[in-house]
Structures are given as C-alpha cells and as structure tokens.
Amino acid sequence: MSDIYELIVTVDLRNELSEQQLAELRWHLGIGPQPAGLAIVTEFPFVVVDDEGNLEVEDDPHPLLAGSGAAEKVGGALCSALAGREDLAREGWSLTSRIEIHPDEVEKVGELLCWLADRAHDTHRLADGAVRMGYYRWYEELTPHVLKVENGQINLLEATGTPTTEE
C-alpha cells in the first residue's frame, strides 16, 4: 500500500512579491535556479547516520512544489507554473502546481503553503476565514478534497495523520 497523495495548488497571489521572493518561489516550483539565500522556507532538516553510527541533522534544501513528467501513482502529468496577471482585474501572480506528495513531506510543504496563503487574493478566502489553496486526494480516491490553510496549518496534515511541530 502506498501513502502517496495528489496535491494540486491553484492560487492567485497579490502583486506584492519581491524579486527575491519570486526567485525562491520559482525554485520551489522547479522553474528556476536555487537562489543564494532562502527566506520563505529556511530550514530543510534531514537526519543522516554519520561514520560512527550517530544520528546527525543536516540541511538539505530542495524545491517543495517541483514536479514534471509522468506521475507514478496518480496518473497524468506533474507540472508547475507561475504566470503574471498584469493584464487582469486582479493583478499579481497565478500559481499552479500538481505534484505527488508523501506524508513525510506534508509539514514542510505546509510551511510554504501557509506563506502563500498569507499573500493570496481575497477571492481565495472562505467564509470561515480559511484560505482555499487547491485540492488533494489519496491516490486511490476518486474525489478530491479542498486544500485549505486555516490558523496557520494546512488541512492535509490532519488527513495524512502527520504530527505537527506544535504537538
């Protein structure tokens, strides 16, 4: 049995992103090089075993919403895009990403999604104050669930049983 989820992020962002933020966002989407400094998601802890058998935590920065090519479990293609909205009524940026995600990655991806939610156009805000970010589904489910950020957490954490750092 596999723990893979399909994650589809579809969000329009306000026109307030700096060039540094855009560069880091493009890197996270797999459509740009890694910037010299990371400011959106700054730590990527990864546990390794050293030569003496001791556990060490290393930093392993990697793009969080990068996907391309054929999907292994969910079917279709994995992809990410960021498009300017300068000629539309809601100026800013339109972001779309479709990836396969394992529960081990959900908390770190959630950190990026919470950052995006803080910059999302008001059209993504739900009546209860949550921000609609897209959709997710376990790879064998037929119907997706609304992906949302509420109180600084993504609802995918609960769906995957991923413990949060607050627990």
Side-chain angles (χ1 to χ4, degrees):
M1 182 161 128
S2 179
D3 289 335
I4 298 299
Y5 285 77
E6 174 185 37
L7 180 67
I8 301 173
V9 179
T10 56
V11 66
D12 294 328
L13 305 170
R14 295 185 306 271
N15 196 21
E16 60 187 43
L17 302 179
S18 70
E19 286 303 316
Q20 169 63 29
Q21 291 169 329
L22 285 169
E24 187 171 344
L25 194 50
R26 286 185 182 103
W27 172 68
H28 278 298
L29 295 170
I31 57 175
Q34 181 176 346
L38 299 176
I40 298 172
V41 178
T42 58
E43 296 178 354
F44 296 80
F46 183 76
V47 178
V48 296
V49 178
D50 68 13
D51 293 338
E52 287 82 40
N54 300 314
L55 296 179
E56 287 187 358
V57 178
E58 294 183 358
D59 195 37
D60 181 30
H62 57 279
L64 296 171
L65 295 177
S68 63
E72 183 179 344
K73 294 285 186 186
V74 300
L78 305 176
C79 56
S80 293
L82 182 66
R85 299 181 55 85
E86 56 275 344
D87 296 331
L88 300 171
R90 289 189 323 267
E91 289 187 356
W93 299 91
S94 290
L95 181 151
T96 297
S97 181
R98 181 174 187 259
I99 63 170
E100 290 179 317
I101 186 169
H102 187 276
D104 291 347
E105 302 167 305
V106 170
E107 187 174 3
K108 197 50 63 180
V109 169
E111 192 176 330
L112 175 58
L113 293 179
C114 288
W115 185 90
L116 291 170
D118 287 342
R119 288 147 184 85
H121 272 287
D122 289 338
T123 55
H124 292 278
R125 193 157 304 281
L126 303 172
D128 63 2
V131 179
R132 179 186 46 80
M133 301 295 292
Y135 305 92
Y136 71 90
R137 71 180 177 93
W138 181 56
Y139 82 103
E140 287 188 353
E141 287 182 314
L142 298 177
T143 307
H145 305 276
V146 174
L147 174 67
K148 58 186 178 177
V149 172
E150 187 171 19
N151 299 321
Q153 295 287 323
I154 61 169
N155 60 335
L156 183 56
L157 282 168
E158 187 176 315
T160 61
T162 303
T164 65
T165 53
E166 296 173 358
E167 293 179 352

